[in-house]
Amino acid sequence: MEKTFKFAGVMGWPVAHSRSPAIHNFWVREHGLQAAYGLFPVQPGALEDAVRGIRALGIAGCNVTIPHKVAIMPLLDRIDPLARRMGAVNTVVADADGTLGGYNFDGYGYIQCLRDAKPDWSAAAGPVTVLGAGGAARAVVLSLLDEGAPRIRLINRTRGKAEAMAAEFGPKVEVHDWSERHEALADVALLVNTTNQGMHGHAPLDLRLDRLPRTALVSDVIYIPLETPLLAAARERGNPTVNGLGMLLNQARRGFELWFGVQPRITDELRAALAATF
Ligand code: NAP
């Protein structure tokens, strides 16, 4: 019998705070689809059963978040080459034959959010400084390199993690010490915060902006709050800024299209609906 209702969701632990249901169900309503997007709270020990459940229940797919983004990879039938390079999956899509593919759209979401904010933005405009070397940093650094960034200064509190990333991603990624972060802002065209510093419940990022060119674009992958202390300080001195909401929304577009067959748009109404949930 033909399926008339499609279901997707976000798999993580904890997952109750996720904004993904608000985004996807907004689009489901907007397009009048027979579909829904829910929360899949999956404890670490239950991941294998949960993936079998996607197949057994005929679910269209899911987003994957902490702590499953890496652990889910060997449980899937196919991994997209870009997700393989990122070393993590953030979207699972069930094909018509029931097999499961793993993708990572975080890098796409990041680049697209810069383009949405500044249509003439180019990664080739100059050196980039990226703070942090976790999962978000991998997506940001890899996608900036793929877009033609000439040099990336990678700076992480735990230097060894930045060095491991640089060794993997090649000589355009230079590691600087955490203590050098203030000076490493000279001449950059783009500064990106991928640490959790400045996120709701965390301390602000400890960073002096006096060496940063006033033309440099300052971006933060954090979206709660929408304006982090870093973005507020950058805006006050005249730098253009981009918050992390566009990255979340743009990565969501790709999954939605693959699950439900409709290309959704990021509208002011969607942004307002989401802002109301913060
Ligand atoms: P993660 O893998 O746990 O990495 C956390 C990063 O923050 C590491 O580089 C860590 O440095 C650094 N950090 C933690 N505490 C610090 C401190 N006190 N001082 C300096 N650095 C510190 O996390 P993630 O998945 O990359 O996520 C990072 C942030 O990105 C989160 O706020 C998350 O919400 C956001 N994010 C946003 C999107 C989006 O769509 N907008 C997507 C993914 C993630 P060490 O290595 O030294 O611990």
Side-chain angles (χ1 to χ4, degrees), residues 132-136 156-158 161 194-197 199 221 244 247-248:
N156 192 46
R157 179 182 62 172
T158 309
K161 273 166 77 178
T194 73
T195 76
N196 60 15
Q197 300 292 281
M199 191 176 167
V221 300
M247 177 176 176
L248 181 74

Side-chain angles (χ1 to χ4, degrees), residues 10-12 40-65 68-79 89 91-95 98-102:
V10 53
M11 194 179 278
F40 300 144
V42 174
Q43 294 198 32
L47 182 61
E48 212 170 325
D49 285 346
V51 171
R52 265 193 228 111
I54 298 177
R55 294 190 180 95
L57 296 169
I59 288 168
C62 64
N63 286 123
V64 186
T65 188
H68 303 311
K69 286 177 132 179
V70 178
I72 200 168
M73 294 177 80
L75 305 176
L76 303 175
D77 301 301
R78 282 177 312 288
I79 303 291
V89 156
T91 306
V92 173
V93 179
D95 275 357
T99 58
L100 301 180

Side-chain angles (χ1 to χ4, degrees), residues 66 69 106 131-138 155-159 161-162 178 193-197 199 202-203 205 220-224 243-249 251:
I66 287 169
K69 286 177 132 179
D106 280 345
L131 298 177
R138 284 185 72 87
I155 307 178
N156 192 46
R157 179 182 62 172
T158 309
R159 186 182 170 114
K161 273 166 77 178
W178 183 247
N193 175 44
T194 73
T195 76
N196 60 15
Q197 300 292 281
M199 191 176 167
H202 294 261
L205 181 68
D220 204 321
V221 300
I222 291 169
Y223 52 87
I224 303 174
N243 67 36
L245 187 59
M247 177 176 176
L248 181 74
L249 290 169
Q251 67 75 30

